[in-house]
Amino acid sequence: MHEPSAGRWESVDALTAETRRFVAATEAMMASTARHLSEGVENLRLKAIIHELPDFLYVKDRDSRFVFANAVTVASLGLKSTEEIAGKRDFDLFEFEAACRHFDIEQQIMATGEARVDMEETVVLPGTVKPVCRLTSKIPLRNDRGEIVGLIGLSRDITERKLQEDLHRGQAKLLEMIARNEPLPMILEALVLMIEAQLTGIDGSVLLLDGEGTRLYHGAAPNLPGGYSRLIDGVTIGPKVGSCGTAAWRGQPVIVEDVMSDPLWEDFRALVAPFGFRSCWSTPIATSENNVLGTFALYSRQVRRPTEHEMKLVALATHIAGIAIERKRVDDRIHFMAHHDDLTGLPNRAFLKERLANILDQARRNGRKVTVAYLDLDNFKDVNDGSGHAAGDEVLKEIASRMANSIRASDMVVRLGGDEFLVVLVHQSSHDAGINRRLRELQKAINRPMRGGGSDITITSSIGVAAFPVDGATPEELLANADRAMYRAKQLGRNTLQHHDGDSSGLGMPRGEQEELHQAITCDQLFLEYQPQVDVATGRITGVEALVRWNHPAKGRVPPVNFIPLAEETGLIVPLGLWVLNEACRQARSWQDMGLAPVTVAVNVSAKQFADPDFASHVAEALERNRLQSRWLELEVTESVVMQNAERALAMMEQLRAIGVRLSIDDFGSGYSSLAALKTFPFDRLKMDRSLVEALPGDKTAVAIASAVISLAQTLKLSVLAEGVETDAQMDFLRHAHCEEAQGYHFSKPVSPEELSRMLQTRRP
């Protein structure tokens, strides 16, 4: 073989070196590629982790512009992708004031190089209304040379944690309020506000069940419309009375998703509709023995069911409310026992000492009188000796009950001890008539025979009377003078009534005024004026209201407010009312005989007239005597008249309906107005009270109540008449609210029959 030449070997060595360099370069390139690939994988993994973080993470430049933000930050700001946020500032995303606060803090951090750690901030995120609470840290970001080029922000949503903290603090505060025995309305309002703060778009309400367990009354509803709260105040519970009335009836939670379709709200939809509520969830507040104390309800303006979280809050609220209400009842019971007589349940001397001083202060400020009557039972010792102390106790309880039932709500009966009682009569004016008559009626109630010890017992009484301020300016003076007058009644033969200093004329209406009013009724001194009632849509007269006036021969024209109360006190209201009824029927027939188109004439009916068993007969006689068809007569009664004795009132109204006259409920919307009255009694028309109308349309609460009343009446197929209309604005509201009729000075003041005849010719006031 031939050996290779030296040059050939040099070529091979050169090639080998080149190969080695290539291999080395290739290895280096592969190593670099592997390193970059590894770094890329790490970057992707880190980026994925950052976007998976539940906390907010973002980077901003020196001008507080976003450079980067993780996915949860982008989503919270209402953006769709991370690319959208680049270059934006807080001024592009938040309200100006909030953006300014963020900007000022960030610029200070980048100017000083000092981080801000764990700042609590409240933020309203774009597209939301409820603020969220965040714990935020912001740290300056530096480059390789240590220069600050921006900042890093890290935030955590602590809204739920703060809500829980607020809830725990609220519970502690409520328990402290209960322990300090603060007023129950304040406790219940704080409870409702605490629950509302945990929720969005929810209004809460507490209703309290009365002692009889039949009606729900307002407890607390700080954010419910006041008009709605007043309309449901006093609602009677039952198997189909909305959410709360039904929950109290069943003793179980009632969840109504849609009040506009649920049958439980059938009778109340017209009432709730103007206020915009669509769902209502009510839970009974109960004792440990499951005795219902009231209800806790949540209202939403959305059609939905409550969440599990919401029901947990309701359970907490009903538990705390139950504690507060039971505590209040125990305290009330203790207070009652300290201030009331064990045997009769009447207030005792301790209560009298507190209450009478306040009554006299109010009377002094308002220029009113107060009468105290010291009452001692005659020969009561004979009952104890002859029939035993047990029989004597029963007699005392019966007499206490009769006395309590014989006085008005503003008056008071006190048992001083033994067989001695005190009656406090608060005058409704500086010249309250009929005090003597009322005391005589009280004596008659005591005198009625009763059973005791197996036999009939008749008790009489001696009464001494003193009046503030004439007979004493202090409770002590009045009691002493009434006591002296009572002893004089004993000396004069018992079973009699004496006034202090022998003033037997009494505090009732002067005899002369009674005779004058009686003479006015019998001697043609009274006359009627008529106020037109018009159709709201057309302005045409649809009816009139008859209003009585007194033309006194010496005093001239006497306003009704000066003689109607006197007629009520003396019983003269019955003949006066009959005169008005007959005269109104006569005049209505007279207009028809003149060829004028018939109109309905409305006549007010007093409580005493309505309680007269013969009243329906009197109405029938007046119609027959004046040849007036019954459909042209309307009788107006107030809610208080029919609610005094609902069973008797319903029977009377059925008799009147059988005759064919129309019935209207007067003064609806003034003070307490009961939905039960509209459902129970056969009314044809509802008259909305002037005190409500005069607030329209400026008062939002009055607008809500009036709208609800009109809507409710129309649902019950009652016509609605608004009283006291005086302005164009009120008329515009009534027209838009679809109120059918109106009455007031906007159309005409009350006028004479002759003036009304001229109006009826055109059917316009």
Side-chain angles (χ1 to χ4, degrees):
M1 292 181 63
H2 297 286
E3 293 183 7
S5 65
R8 187 177 177 185
W9 283 112
E10 288 175 1
S11 297
V12 171
D13 289 341
L15 181 60
T16 302
E18 187 66 31
T19 299
R20 283 198 298 271
R21 285 195 299 274
F22 175 75
V23 170
T26 301
E27 289 175 347
M29 183 178 69
M30 290 176 67
S32 175
T33 301
R35 187 171 63 254
H36 280 85
L37 285 172
S38 177
E39 289 174 354
V41 170
E42 288 298 321
N43 286 338
L44 288 172
R45 187 177 300 146
L46 179 60
K47 192 172 184 180
I49 291 171
I50 289 172
H51 284 304
E52 288 297 324
L53 283 174
D55 294 338
F56 305 94
L57 178 66
Y58 51 88
V59 178
K60 291 185 176 181
D61 64 14
R62 284 299 302 253
D63 292 326
S64 290
R65 290 188 177 88
F66 282 96
V67 177
F68 168 81
N70 67 347
V72 69
T73 304
V74 171
S76 72
L77 295 174
L79 303 176
K80 296 180 180 178
S81 66
T82 54
E83 289 76 14
E84 278 190 77
I85 201 169
K88 291 189 183 298
R89 299 197 302 174
D90 287 336
F91 292 100
D92 302 318
L93 303 166
F94 294 97
E95 294 287 340
F96 181 75
E97 291 185 5
C100 283
R101 287 196 301 272
H102 298 165
F103 182 81
D104 291 343
I105 290 172
E106 292 170 357
Q107 291 301 308
Q108 188 177 13
I109 290 170
M110 290 186 282
T112 62
E114 296 179 0
R116 292 282 191 91
V117 179
D118 290 346
M119 298 180 292
E120 279 195 15
E121 56 181 6
T122 302
V123 181
V124 178
L125 295 172
T128 66
V129 292
K130 190 170 184 179
V132 297
C133 190
R134 301 195 304 198
L135 193 65
T136 299
S137 295
K138 294 184 178 181
I139 306 165
L141 180 64
R142 301 176 187 271
N143 61 16
D144 295 340
R145 297 185 296 277
E147 299 168 338
I148 295 175
V149 294
L151 61 79
I152 299 174
L154 183 64
S155 295
R156 172 166 293 174
D157 190 334
I158 59 170
T159 305
E160 288 302 320
R161 192 186 84 191
K162 296 295 290 183
L163 285 174
Q164 286 299 314
E165 291 174 358
D166 290 344
L167 187 61
H168 291 318
R169 278 195 297 269
Q171 292 178 67
K173 178 184 175 184
L174 284 166
L175 294 175
E176 183 181 344
M177 292 174 73
I178 294 171
R180 289 203 306 263
N181 202 24
E182 293 194 15
L184 182 61
M186 291 178 59
I187 296 173
L188 296 179
E189 181 167 315
L191 172 64
V192 173
L193 290 173
M194 181 187 78
I195 299 300
E196 288 178 342
Q198 299 286 315
L199 305 171
T200 304
I202 295 292
D203 292 329
S205 166
V206 175
L207 294 175
L208 301 176
L209 193 63
D210 64 5
E212 289 73 34
T214 59
R215 290 178 179 271
L216 289 170
Y217 289 95
H218 175 76
N223 289 310
L224 276 185
Y228 178 74
S229 293
R230 282 191 286 275
L231 284 171
I232 63 172
D233 190 25
V235 67
T236 303
I237 69 172
K240 192 181 172 184
V241 185
S243 300
C244 295
T246 308
W249 175 268
R250 295 178 181 174
Q252 297 175 345
V254 172
I255 307 299
V256 173
E257 294 182 54
D258 187 358
V259 299
M260 292 302 151
S261 61
D262 196 292
L264 295 181
W265 280 81
E266 183 178 350
D267 296 335
F268 300 92
R269 283 178 199 142
L271 182 149
V272 74
F275 301 95
F277 295 119
R278 292 303 302 271
S279 53
C280 179
W281 324 310
S282 182
T283 301
I285 301 167
T287 66
S288 54
E289 292 81 23
N290 287 326
N291 296 319
V292 176
L293 302 170
T295 60
F296 184 91
L298 295 180
Y299 289 83
S300 171
R301 287 178 167 82
Q302 297 177 348
V303 176
R304 68 179 183 90
R305 292 183 66 81
T307 64
E308 183 180 353
H309 174 61
E310 287 167 339
M311 291 310 295
K312 285 181 179 178
L313 289 173
V314 169
L316 171 66
T318 55
H319 178 66
I320 295 176
I323 294 172
I325 297 168
E326 280 201 279
R327 170 64 184 270
K328 177 67 165 58
R329 290 193 171 187
V330 170
D331 289 343
D332 287 348
R333 181 61 184 161
I334 292 171
H335 185 271
F336 183 88
M337 292 171 66
H339 291 82
H340 289 76
D341 173 53
D342 287 339
L343 178 65
T344 64
L346 293 177
N348 58 17
R349 281 185 181 271
F351 185 90
L352 176 68
K353 185 176 180 181
E354 291 182 9
R355 185 82 181 96
L356 187 54
N358 292 332
I359 289 173
L360 296 185
D361 284 341
Q362 291 178 5
R364 191 176 291 109
R365 287 195 299 269
N366 298 324
R368 294 182 175 178
K369 292 182 179 180
V370 177
T371 297
V372 296
Y374 205 116
L375 186 148
D376 183 87
L377 303 182
D378 299 328
N379 301 319
F380 182 72
K381 184 175 180 296
D382 295 343
V383 177
N384 282 332
D385 293 344
S387 303
H389 286 280
D393 287 347
E394 291 303 313
V395 169
L396 287 173
K397 287 194 287 186
E398 174 62 22
I399 287 176
S401 175
R402 293 181 182 184
M403 294 176 70
N405 291 330
S406 298
I407 63 169
R408 298 180 299 195
S410 57
D411 302 331
M412 180 170 57
V413 179
V414 177
R415 187 187 179 198
L416 299 175
D419 58 355
E420 294 184 334
F421 299 83
L422 191 80
V423 180
V424 180
L425 303 175
V426 181
H427 295 229
Q428 298 305 305
S429 68
S430 60
H431 157 149
D432 197 2
I435 294 296
N436 266 0
R437 177 182 52 79
R438 291 169 59 196
L439 291 174
R440 294 293 186 194
E441 290 175 353
L442 183 66
Q443 264 189 326
K444 290 178 182 177
I446 294 171
N447 289 356
R448 291 199 308 269
M450 65 189 81
R451 296 292 292 178
S455 61
D456 283 345
I457 297 174
T458 300
I459 297 293
T460 61
S461 60
S462 299
I463 301 178
V465 180
F468 169 88
V470 178
D471 300 325
T474 67
E476 294 76 17
E477 290 175 351
L478 285 173
L479 263 64
N481 289 335
D483 190 21
R484 279 193 285 270
M486 184 271 292
Y487 274 106
R488 188 165 65 253
K490 290 274 190 186
Q491 294 167 357
L492 293 174
R494 307 179 187 276
N495 194 25
T496 187
L497 181 150
Q498 288 293 308
H499 289 264
H500 174 58
D501 288 339
D503 176 17
S504 59
S505 64
L507 300 166
M509 179 182 174
R511 181 72 179 170
E513 291 189 22
Q514 294 184 43
E515 292 176 352
E516 285 184 349
L517 185 54
H518 184 271
Q519 191 173 19
I521 298 170
T522 57
C523 297
D524 294 329
Q525 294 177 16
L526 300 179
F527 64 96
L528 294 184
E529 290 186 330
Y530 299 87
Q531 189 169 32
Q533 299 169 339
V534 304
D535 184 290
V536 170
T538 65
R540 291 175 62 82
I541 296 175
T542 57
V544 296
E545 180 178 5
L547 301 166
V548 66
R549 304 292 188 252
W550 181 6
N551 188 18
H552 193 283
K555 301 174 183 177
R557 187 161 169 151
V558 180
V561 70
N562 286 0
F563 67 86
I564 294 296
L566 302 183
E568 290 276 6
E569 288 290 348
T570 58
L572 290 173
I573 193 69
V574 173
L576 187 151
L578 287 177
W579 181 88
V580 172
L581 174 66
N582 278 277
E583 175 60 17
C585 290
R586 185 201 65 76
Q587 184 60 62
R589 182 64 209 183
S590 175
W591 284 324
Q592 293 181 21
D593 291 342
M594 292 167 60
L596 298 173
V599 292
T600 301
V601 60
V603 175
N604 289 282
V605 179
S606 73
K608 285 186 173 61
Q609 280 180 279
F610 207 73
D612 183 355
D614 296 325
F615 178 61
S617 299
H618 294 321
V619 173
E621 290 170 5
L623 291 168
E624 184 179 357
R625 182 182 304 115
N626 294 287
R627 299 179 295 109
L628 182 68
Q629 292 181 359
S630 58
R631 60 180 173 146
W632 301 119
L633 176 63
E634 179 176 287
L635 301 177
E636 296 182 3
V637 294
T638 62
E639 181 186 5
S640 60
V641 169
V642 296
M643 295 301 284
Q644 285 178 5
N645 186 324
E647 185 177 350
R648 183 180 66 193
L650 184 58
M652 176 57 68
M653 293 176 81
E654 294 294 351
Q655 293 181 51
L656 294 169
R657 287 296 295 270
I659 295 171
V661 300
R662 288 164 51 85
L663 298 171
S664 67
I665 183 168
D666 199 9
D667 297 341
F668 195 84
S670 61
Y672 169 71
S673 293
S674 170
L675 300 175
L678 297 182
K679 286 189 62 181
T680 305
F681 301 107
F683 289 112
D684 299 288
R685 180 156 67 167
L686 181 154
K687 295 191 72 175
M688 198 156 51
D689 186 65
R690 66 181 65 248
S691 64
L692 180 59
V693 174
E694 70 182 6
L696 298 173
D699 188 315
K700 292 182 179 179
T701 298
V703 167
I705 294 174
S707 300
V709 166
I710 293 169
S711 179
L712 180 63
Q714 291 170 345
T715 301
L716 297 174
K717 296 185 171 23
L718 301 178
S719 62
V720 184
L721 182 143
E723 293 187 284
V725 178
E726 296 186 357
T727 67
D728 290 335
Q730 291 167 351
M731 272 298 290
D732 289 340
F733 169 82
L734 295 171
R735 192 176 294 110
H736 289 303
H738 305 295
C739 178
E740 291 100 328
E741 295 171 285
Q743 174 181 343
Y745 276 54
H746 182 73
F747 313 104
S748 172
K749 65 179 181 179
V751 297
S752 66
E754 294 74 23
E755 179 64 24
L756 194 67
S757 300
R758 289 190 286 272
M759 293 182 184
L760 291 177
Q761 290 174 6
T762 61
R763 294 304 290 262
R764 291 186 179 277

